[in-house]
């Protein structure tokens, strides 16, 4: 009786699940993944791994930048739905990135609300909470906002006066 080691058996199962991807599917996946990343505000987008098919999905590794920070991530393109879903993480964790990451999340929150960020104050950090003031613009009007970043989430208060 031939018995496979658990790690080898898992590896063989993983290889069996991967399928070849046609050039057409790989190109379509790359185009859709780049478009989705651009829609999320990423720039300088590059594909870092070849397309790999898993069932009806095409997986790609990607790298990009946003607000001066570098990111690495993945994109899963569903061939049937013709839809891409990207996921990025900071490319490096050096320096903690707390204030820079807080600034980015606060900026993203403002942009999601259709404001453009004209400037931000210096961040203040107390008890692991990052706070900053923001100068915003929307539809030709200027606004002042206060952003409180804690546990990965931004709370944005906008002064309507």
């Amino acid at each position: 009786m031939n018995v496979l080691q658990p790690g080898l058996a898992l590896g063989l199962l993983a290889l069996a699940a991967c399928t070849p991807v046609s050039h057409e599917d790989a190109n379509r996946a790359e185009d859709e993944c780049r478009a989705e990343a651009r829609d999320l505000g990423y720039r300088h987008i590059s594909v870092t791994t070849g397309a790999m098919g898993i069932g009806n999905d095409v997986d790609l590794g990607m790298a990009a930048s946003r607000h001066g920070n570098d990111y690495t991530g993945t994109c899963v393109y569903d061939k049937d739905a013709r839809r891409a879903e990207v996921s990025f993480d900071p490319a490096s964790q050096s320096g903690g990135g707390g204030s820079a990451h807080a600034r980015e999340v606060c900026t993203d929150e403002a942009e999601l609300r259709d404001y453009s960020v004209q400037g931000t104050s210096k961040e203040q950090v107390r008890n692991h909470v990052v706070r900053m003031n923001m100068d915003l613009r929307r539809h030709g009007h200027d606004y002042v906002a206060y952003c409180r970043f804690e546990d990965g989430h931004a709370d944005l208060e906008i002064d309507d006066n």
Side-chain angles (χ1 to χ4, degrees):
M1 183 166 144
N2 224 351
V3 178
L4 292 175
Q5 295 176 342
L8 180 60
L10 185 59
L12 289 173
L13 285 174
L15 285 174
C18 297
T19 58
V21 176
S22 71
H23 289 293
E24 181 181 293
D25 285 344
N27 289 338
R28 178 172 285 145
E30 184 174 334
D31 290 346
E32 293 296 325
C33 289
R34 286 177 185 273
E36 181 68 15
R38 272 193 305 275
D39 288 348
L40 293 172
Y42 291 94
R43 300 292 178 255
H44 309 290
I45 303 158
S46 62
V47 174
T48 59
T49 65
M52 180 175 22
I54 300 176
N56 199 41
D57 295 336
V58 177
D59 290 355
L60 297 170
M62 301 183 78
S65 64
R66 184 168 67 175
H67 305 299
N69 297 308
D70 294 327
Y71 294 85
T72 57
T74 59
C75 179
V76 177
Y77 174 70
D78 182 326
K79 293 187 290 188
D80 281 345
R82 293 185 177 209
R83 190 170 162 198
E85 185 174 323
V86 296
S87 174
F88 284 107
D89 292 316
S92 72
Q93 300 295 333
S94 62
S99 293
H101 182 65
R103 181 182 302 278
E104 179 179 349
V105 173
C106 287
T107 298
D108 288 347
E109 180 66 23
E111 289 173 351
L112 283 171
R113 296 183 189 189
D114 200 30
Y115 290 91
S116 65
V117 178
Q118 304 297 303
T120 60
S121 68
K122 185 174 188 294
E123 303 90 357
Q124 296 180 358
V125 182
R126 187 172 56 219
N127 296 330
H128 305 288
V129 177
V130 180
R131 296 169 177 84
M132 71 188 77
N133 291 320
M134 304 177 77
D135 296 321
L136 307 177
R137 177 172 281 250
R138 180 167 67 175
H139 306 299
H141 298 286
D142 293 327
Y143 299 89
V144 175
Y146 172 77
C147 187
R148 183 176 190 270
F149 176 81
E150 182 176 19
D151 296 327
H153 301 286
D155 180 27
L156 189 64
E157 296 178 24
I158 300 170
D159 186 7
D160 291 332
N161 295 331

